[in-house]
Amino acid sequence: MIKTDILIIGAGPTGLFTVFEAGLLKLKCHIIDALPQPGGQCSEIYPKKPIYDIPAYPEILAGDLVDRLMEQIKPFEPGFTLGERAETLDKQEDGSFIVTTNLGTQHHAPVVVIAGGLGSFEPRKPQIPNLDIYETKGVEYMIKDPEVYRDKKVVIAGGGDSALDWSIFLADVASEVHLVHRRNEFRGALDSVEKARELAQVGKIKLHTKAEVKELHGTDTLEAVVVKSIEEGVEPKYVETDYFIPLFGLSPKLGPIGSWGLEIEKNAIKVNNAKDYQTNIPGVFAIGDVNTYEGKLKLILSGFHEAAVMCQYAYQIINPDKRFVMKYTTVGGVEGFDGSKKEAKKEVVQSIV
């Protein structure tokens, strides 16, 4: 059984930053995540997409943000249980918890922090016959590494930011990019719509509007799709392609966490934001996009703030007989569990008398 001070469910940015804030309080953390690597959505869904609202970073790629966070928490030596889903939560007589994963790995901690973003994600799949046959054989629901599509033919379906952004990006990577949308109007940012139309005018993106992908063809792997107009009298188009990427969004699901007895509102966990982001179960906190309260902003920086506040109250649960006096890192420095220490240089003032 794995024992720790704070058990974090979710290895996204908020969960990772929790390790740092807990480390400042000399609290050890262990993280569970169903994904095979840390980073949550930033690693799994859009590692190459830029983020613009992280303090001190005018622009940073989502994957790079995860790398920086991993570097920041390294001195605090967090443990990881990756590729496993937190399945059950059992409260013990002493108030602590045992969390067991779908593979049977047990974790014991006095404090549990749910930082699972919006929960687990399932792609919204188009209703196309034999779609499942080509999954991982040419049909993909997210783009992790754009280089996979280097000099390949790609068909993207969708009308939102993801479909537009990736079509624009892959225009300089793939040999052909087709963008299929069932309407003339797109739902993405205006500059992205304009950029996509400009690329279409010079032939770098082939636009198919008022149309849908209705058929997939191929022997062992995907070889072509059939694009049909939603208007009558228009002949279907047979489009040869190596990849079909439907980007219709992801459906968030709380999964097993939803059956833990937590107070749920609109697929999110209600917390006490006036104090500590604790749930209706004492000792269980929820931070980041997975929680909800009046005035909630689903931003990464909001999750960072919630992590800092939550750790102060978690310390009191773990050390009820100790009084913690907060010190700024500029004063106390950062002392890692690995023996490392970062601190400002102290100037020596010598008397002139």
Side-chain angles (χ1 to χ4, degrees), residues 33 43 52 65 72 75 78 114 116 132 164 192 233 263 302 347:
D33 201 292
S43 294
Y52 300 103
L65 174 63
Q72 186 179 31
I114 302 170
D132 57 328
L164 286 164
S192 295
E263 189 175 354
S302 298
E347 294 185 9

Side-chain angles (χ1 to χ4, degrees), residues 307-319:
V309 173
M310 178 279 301
C311 283
Q312 302 290 321
Y313 287 91
Y315 181 89
Q316 296 174 18
I317 293 174
I318 298 167
N319 300 293

Side-chain angles (χ1 to χ4, degrees), residues 204-277:
K204 297 198 72 173
I205 292 177
K206 294 178 173 61
L207 278 180
H208 306 265
T209 55
K210 289 191 174 182
E212 296 176 299
V213 173
K214 286 296 188 180
E215 298 176 17
L216 306 179
H217 296 278
T219 305
D220 296 320
T221 59
L222 182 67
E223 297 173 7
V225 302
V226 174
V227 179
K228 292 186 178 181
S229 173
I230 62 175
E231 297 180 323
E232 293 183 3
V234 180
E235 287 294 316
K237 295 178 181 177
Y238 186 86
V239 179
E240 293 185 355
T241 189
D242 299 298
Y243 291 96
F244 171 50
I245 310 171
L247 297 175
F248 298 128
L250 300 166
S251 299
K253 297 183 182 300
L254 282 175
I257 291 174
S259 63
W260 288 1
L262 299 161
E263 189 175 354
I264 307 296
E265 183 179 282
K266 294 181 180 178
N267 207 41
I269 302 170
K270 289 192 69 174
V271 295
N272 175 9
N273 70 302
K275 185 181 180 184
D276 52 16
Y277 304 101

